[in-house]
Amino acid sequence: MRDVAVIGYGMTKFGELWQTPLRDLFAEAAVACLADAGVERGRLQSAYIGCMSSGLFNGQEHLASILCDYAGLAGLAATRVESACASGGAAFRAAYLEVASGASDFVLAGGVEKMNDGADATYCLSTAADQEYEVYHGITFPGLYAMIAHAHMHRYGTTPAQLAAVAVKNHRNGALNPYAQFPVEITPETVLKAVRVAEPLGLFDCSPVTDGAACVLLCPVDVARELGKPVIRVIGSGHATDAIALHDRPDLAAIPVVGLAARRAYAQAGITVADVDFCEVHDCFTIAEIVCTEELGLFERGRGGPAALDGLTARDGKHPVNASGGLKCKGHPVGATGVAQIAELVMQLSGRAGARQLKSPRIGLAQNMGGSGGSCTVHILEVGS
Amino acid sequence: MISPRYHREIPQRYRLEAGRCEDCGEIHFPPRFVCRKCGGKRFAIEVLPRRGKVLTHTTIWIPPAPFEIQKPYVVAIVELENGVRLTCMVAEAPPDEVRIGTPVELIFRRLQAQPVWEVLQYGYKARVLAG
Amino acid sequence: MYGIAGYGAYVPRYRIQVETIAEQWGADAAAYRTGLLLSEKTVPGPDEDTITISVAAGRDAIARAGIDPREIGACYIGSESHPYAVKPSGTVVIDALGIGPDCHVADFEFACKAGTEAMYVAYSHVKAGEMKYALGVGADTSQGAPGDALEYTASAGGAAYVMGGDNVVAEILHTYSYTSDTPDFWRREGEHYPRHAGRFTGDPAYFHHVLSSAQGILERSGLKPADFRHAVFHMPNGKFPLRAGKLCGFKPEQLEQGWVVNLMGNTYSGSSPTGLASCLDVAVPGDLILVTSFGSGAGSDSFVLRATDRLPTVQKLAPSVRDQLVDRRINLTYGKYVAYRGKIRMNES
């Protein structure tokens, strides 16, 4: 396996992009990424593109081909990758493995989702749960995470105020992110008094419905050095799956697929969680960030809620989580999210994160999750020589 | 759901037929091709008990379109008396009636009636046991 | 000995009060209460229909019969509100209850008497020796047109009866039916609500057929009203069955137990079967019970039954009709009621 570096990123603004079609979202991010990396498009050898459900959202499959064509990359070996909301992370891992294997030198990892195109987003997203034994019975994604939240509250005493603290913190961070969908600060009262979606979760406990795309470019570390790029190395790539039906998993107050993927990533990187300077965590719902920070090992089980309330996950806290604003504030175009997390790591590790820049971080972690915890990728990037 | 798929799932939806691994005894609902515990592939049909308790729950205020008429409604993960778990609605439950640990029984109800030209879809829901 | 081996009844939890409907239409609630002799009616939930009611009642009937459902050779569902225009209710019911596939299934419709028809045919099969057990169900989720007098009574519920020659809890001693073409109430294909001929539904229709049938079975059996512990007459409202019973010579105390209409409304095909179930909930061995149904169009089926020694051993195996009528009721607003009954035009998803 060769050492792999990430040498460029490109993103669209996240939001309700009514005038931008699916294909142009990807094209914009891909073109920006190649420009950022300073690599001619002709040097690209392949692409992996995460997208959860263009078939349902936009009626379009055969996605990798059309996206590459419209990005000026016709002819490229390109594959669409699907793992629900972890599609982006899974695409990044496929790109990473192709470069690491020696098969290719320049591989694009992309992600895209066009969710505001007329389709019923609640229904489209619900296809990431067990259609026949969950969705059929009227459950929604907010509902699945609400059931995790009730189990967590019952077991550990987690409170609505702790959930709200996650949303407030992520909006405080995202207000400084020019890519974010809702770059505004909010108060705990806004979260607690919001319209109910699935008890105990209200509207501000939920990530929004978002259009957007993100791309990053990977190449061998040696090649990155030759190009004179700062070396942001992929030191860990963990990937795991689990039953997608929540009721098929023994502990309803946990999301074990996250811990499993994280342990694999830590083992490959040869580090512990204590070595991680900051994390991008899959906060599709406020409770998800709390449980995921526990699964990643940042906090003991049941301590994720108090940690959020006590500011430990703030940008100036002990374990900064979602300096980008997370899915909650930045937006969650599901297929793009995992790649956008990697882009945030690249921005932070290369000191290009602007007003939300963390103080000279060295190691960043991105955790991207599918469904209610049926799949997860964890990637660890390190800046250095 | 188109009717071939609905028809295929009738034994589970109507009669709660699970698959018990003849090698290790693990009960799977729905039945599986291969036992998740021991890898066995021989199964016997086992009808699930109808009583159990709520492990966790939520009240859905923003449902998918086919469930609009029923909102707000409670969905729960129920653990049946033999330990098998499933997700279903709790019928006729005011949200504050359902708690973790609430005893329930499974009943037969119409789950979806939309769209109007499709076959009606029946299956199990839970109902809070009087107590 | 042939008759009922097991019975079960189902009453939905939702209710709407006479006052609630009267307020909606600017009607005199007190007049309706006294005119119809009822205070509320049952309403099916948005997830209930004739099929789910039949399954709920059928499950209790099989439990009380104490049999393997695969021993049931026929299943008949009587209803005027089968959920499909084309496709049987009975197929869902047998697959849900674990009956069949070795069985004969049919849906019956005869306004409010389809339930006793189903019971009659099921009973006839077992008595003829065609099969060991047969299931007959009467269930409905009936609709009256908004603002029509029927809206105050048309309700939901049903009862199921396993007929057999073994495990009998109530022997059927006599049957008699009386039928003529009397167009008092009807619904044409494609029409949402039924039409009725006002007061013509009374004497020429209900009372003529009910009295002819009840008096006919009394004559043929040589029994007199005083021989019976309970008598049940179809309950389109509170008043009709009490008047019919009185005209036949029954005393109020004989009519009381099966008269469930005041809290339930008119469950159409489920009406007299539910009244019978209420009587079976309390009957003691040897009690004679008369049941007379009525279906517009028009006809009546009568049964004379006698409770056996086995009845008291099964009464507590499922909830009684009276308990279901009073326990855990949920009162609906008029708005919620019309939404649940599909009377609001929604966008199709």
Side-chain angles (χ1 to χ4, degrees):
Chain A
M1 296 271 277
R2 300 192 288 181
D3 280 352
V4 178
V6 182
I7 58 165
Y9 75 90
M11 277 179 67
T12 66
K13 161 103 176 148
F14 281 6
E16 293 175 358
L17 309 176
W18 302 108
Q19 295 303 318
T20 312
L22 172 67
R23 58 190 73 178
D24 287 356
L25 286 174
F26 175 77
E28 184 183 332
V31 167
C33 177
L34 291 174
D36 183 57
V39 171
E40 290 294 320
R41 63 182 178 175
R43 299 188 71 182
L44 262 189
Q45 287 161 289
S46 83
Y48 292 90
I49 304 163
C51 180
M52 175 186 157
S53 198
S54 57
L56 288 176
F57 281 119
N58 322 102
Q60 181 69 60
E61 305 290 19
H62 207 171
L63 200 65
S65 300
I66 190 174
L67 293 182
C68 286
D69 178 22
Y70 273 77
L73 300 171
L76 195 64
T79 306
R80 179 246 186 109
V81 178
E82 190 276 314
S83 187
C85 311
S87 298
F92 179 78
R93 176 172 160 83
Y96 160 72
L97 291 174
E98 182 165 325
V99 175
S101 73
S104 299
D105 279 348
F106 289 99
V107 179
L108 186 78
V112 64
E113 209 81 50
K114 173 80 186 160
M115 300 170 74
N116 294 289
D117 226 8
D120 175 356
T122 302
Y123 168 73
C124 298
L125 292 171
S126 76
T127 60
D130 186 325
Q131 274 300 300
E132 298 169 30
Y133 292 93
E134 290 184 315
V135 180
Y136 187 82
H137 292 275
I139 199 65
T140 59
F141 257 97
L144 287 166
Y145 278 95
M147 292 203 291
I148 293 173
H150 267 150
H152 203 269
M153 291 168 150
H154 184 76
R155 176 92 54 85
Y156 301 116
T158 302
T159 65
Q162 292 166 358
L163 298 182
V166 172
V168 170
K169 180 263 297 175
N170 287 349
H171 271 272
R172 191 183 305 132
N173 293 347
L176 306 174
N177 186 347
Y179 293 107
Q181 181 171 10
F182 294 113
V184 289
E185 296 203 25
I186 58 171
T187 65
E189 289 67 38
T190 305
V191 184
L192 293 168
K193 290 180 179 164
V195 62
R196 299 288 91 189
V197 174
E199 205 65 46
L201 304 180
L203 188 63
F204 278 78
D205 288 292
C206 308
S207 57
V209 172
T210 311
D211 306 331
C215 290
V216 295
L217 186 65
L218 297 89
C219 72
V221 165
D222 296 347
V223 177
R225 283 205 194 95
E226 286 165 19
L227 292 171
K229 292 281 175 188
V231 174
I232 297 171
R233 186 191 311 251
V234 182
I235 60 171
S237 174
H239 187 193
T241 62
D242 198 353
I244 69 171
L246 180 59
H247 59 239
D248 278 335
R249 307 204 293 261
D251 187 349
L252 302 176
I255 308 178
V257 75
V258 177
L260 190 56
R263 287 190 294 279
R264 289 172 180 168
Y266 294 144
Q268 184 190 349
I271 64 167
T272 70
V273 65
D275 299 313
V276 174
D277 295 318
F278 70 106
C279 298
E280 286 291 304
V281 168
H282 196 96
D283 62 323
C284 48
F285 300 92
T286 49
I287 183 63
E289 180 170 312
I290 287 173
V291 178
C292 289
T293 54
E294 296 171 7
E295 293 286 355
L296 291 171
L298 294 171
F299 311 110
E300 284 176 26
R301 290 205 182 277
R303 301 303 301 166
L309 191 62
D310 294 346
L312 299 186
T313 53
R315 281 203 320 287
D316 58 356
K318 187 177 175 208
H319 297 291
V321 169
N322 286 328
S324 68
L327 285 53
K328 171 70 200 81
C329 172
K330 185 175 64 180
H332 182 26
V334 284
T337 284
V339 182
Q341 291 177 323
I342 302 288
E344 177 71 13
L345 297 194
V346 172
M347 286 183 246
Q348 291 286 356
L349 292 172
S350 58
R352 296 194 283 164
R356 65 186 190 285
Q357 178 65 49
L358 299 165
K359 251 189 236 164
S360 50
R362 198 174 61 83
I363 294 180
L365 178 151
Q367 175 259 330
N368 185 206
M369 180 162 63
S372 65
S375 60
C376 184
T377 62
V378 171
H379 286 99
I380 304 172
L381 274 58
E382 180 179 30
V383 66
S385 51
Chain B
M1 185 179 293
I2 56 169
S3 52
R5 184 171 175 181
Y6 177 71
H7 176 255
R8 191 166 63 228
E9 293 158 4
I10 279 176
Q12 284 75 57
R13 301 212 187 289
Y14 286 17
R15 296 193 296 277
L16 300 170
E17 288 185 6
R20 180 170 41 78
C21 176
E22 293 192 338
D23 292 324
C24 76
E26 179 83 353
I27 301 171
H28 301 275
F29 184 81
R32 296 180 177 217
F33 177 77
V34 57
C35 177
R36 75 184 141 207
K37 196 168 156 195
C38 77
K41 285 187 279 194
R42 297 180 306 126
F43 293 92
I45 292 173
E46 175 149 326
V47 175
L48 297 178
R50 305 192 79 85
R51 292 197 171 194
K53 62 173 199 269
V54 169
L55 289 184
T56 187
H57 59 94
T58 182
T59 302
I60 302 287
W61 290 92
I62 301 184
F67 300 95
E68 189 68 30
I69 188 74
Q70 301 185 58
K71 80 176 184 191
Y73 56 84
V74 177
V75 177
I77 292 179
V78 172
E79 184 171 273
L80 301 173
E81 282 171 345
N82 65 352
V84 170
R85 297 170 174 194
L86 46 78
T87 300
C88 63
M89 270 195 216
V90 184
E92 294 148 13
D96 58 3
E97 195 181 76
V98 179
R99 292 273 179 272
I100 290 173
T102 298
V104 295
E105 63 176 340
L106 297 185
I107 56 173
F108 185 79
R109 288 292 169 93
R110 193 158 86 184
L111 298 187
Q112 294 182 33
Q114 294 289 337
V116 294
W117 54 86
E118 258 292 3
V119 292
L120 296 167
Q121 295 167 31
Y122 297 88
Y124 51 86
K125 284 190 179 184
R127 184 169 59 183
V128 175
L129 277 169
Chain C
M1 186 199 296
Y2 295 94
I4 296 164
Y7 72 96
Y10 179 77
V11 181
R13 282 179 70 179
Y14 294 109
R15 301 287 190 281
I16 189 165
Q17 308 293 316
V18 163
E19 281 72 12
T20 309
I21 300 172
E23 183 183 26
Q24 169 67 23
W25 299 112
D28 181 349
Y32 273 104
R33 262 183 184 262
T34 53
L36 299 170
L37 271 187
L38 60 82
S39 55
E40 62 190 45
K41 68 167 187 174
T42 57
V43 180
D47 56 355
E48 295 188 292
D49 58 24
T50 287
I51 289 173
T52 64
I53 291 169
S54 299
V55 170
R59 198 183 304 284
D60 285 350
I62 291 168
R64 282 191 171 114
I67 61 168
D68 181 337
R70 283 169 297 191
E71 292 184 282
I72 294 172
C75 173
Y76 303 114
I77 311 293
S79 180
E80 64 96 72
S81 51
H82 291 290
Y84 286 99
V86 176
K87 192 200 166 296
S89 299
T91 51
V92 182
V93 174
I94 60 151
D95 253 334
L97 293 176
I99 300 170
D102 301 323
C103 67
H104 185 246
V105 171
D107 287 1
F108 292 168
E109 184 279 314
F110 191 147
C112 294
K113 97 169 178 73
T116 56
E117 277 171 16
M119 294 165 62
Y120 182 91
V121 177
Y123 162 69
S124 300
H125 277 309
V126 297
K127 193 177 180 190
E130 296 283 337
M131 56 193 65
K132 198 166 179 199
Y133 297 102
L135 181 67
V137 183
D140 256 314
T141 57
S142 301
Q143 298 249 28
D148 189 281
L150 281 180
E151 191 182 19
Y152 294 85
T153 57
S155 65
Y161 290 89
V162 174
M163 301 295 185
D166 293 332
N167 292 9
V168 174
V169 297
E171 182 182 7
I172 294 176
L173 301 175
H174 303 279
T175 63
Y176 177 66
S177 294
Y178 185 92
T179 312
S180 76
D181 190 35
T182 306
D184 62 319
F185 172 105
W186 63 94
R187 181 166 64 83
R188 293 279 297 274
E189 183 74 38
E191 289 285 296
H192 196 58
Y193 302 111
R195 307 268 177 178
H196 57 87
R199 291 183 62 79
F200 181 72
T201 59
D203 285 341
Y206 179 87
F207 289 102
H208 176 66
H209 291 82
V210 165
L211 296 178
S212 299
S213 183
Q215 285 160 356
I217 201 167
L218 290 177
E219 282 168 22
R220 281 162 176 74
S221 64
L223 294 165
K224 24 182 221 308
D227 296 329
F228 289 86
R229 178 68 176 269
H230 304 289
V232 179
F233 296 92
H234 171 58
M235 294 162 272
N237 53 57
K239 271 192 171 168
F240 277 26
L242 296 182
R243 180 164 168 240
K246 191 176 174 188
L247 289 170
C248 280
F250 289 94
K251 294 188 162 59
E253 56 268 30
Q254 293 170 289
L255 303 171
E256 193 177 20
Q257 182 64 28
W259 189 73
V260 293
V261 59
N262 61 321
L263 292 174
M264 193 169 184
N266 176 10
T267 50
Y268 283 55
S269 304
S271 175
S272 47
T274 311
L276 171 60
S278 175
C279 295
L280 292 174
D281 284 336
V282 300
V284 298
D287 279 357
L288 287 181
I289 304 168
L290 171 71
V291 185
T292 297
S293 65
F294 171 72
S296 286
S300 284
D301 297 325
S302 290
F303 299 81
V304 171
L305 305 101
R306 182 169 56 208
T308 73
D309 291 343
R310 185 171 178 271
L311 179 61
T313 69
V314 307
Q315 282 165 334
K316 300 295 178 205
L317 295 181
S320 74
V321 176
R322 292 280 172 191
D323 283 351
Q324 293 185 67
L325 282 173
V326 297
D327 286 351
R328 308 168 87 198
R329 288 178 288 184
I330 303 169
N331 281 320
L332 297 177
T333 62
Y334 193 83
K336 204 76 178 167
Y337 157 73
V338 293
Y340 280 5
R341 298 306 284 130
K343 294 170 195 263
I344 296 179
R345 182 173 296 181
M346 310 286 285
N347 268 342
E348 289 174 6
S349 56

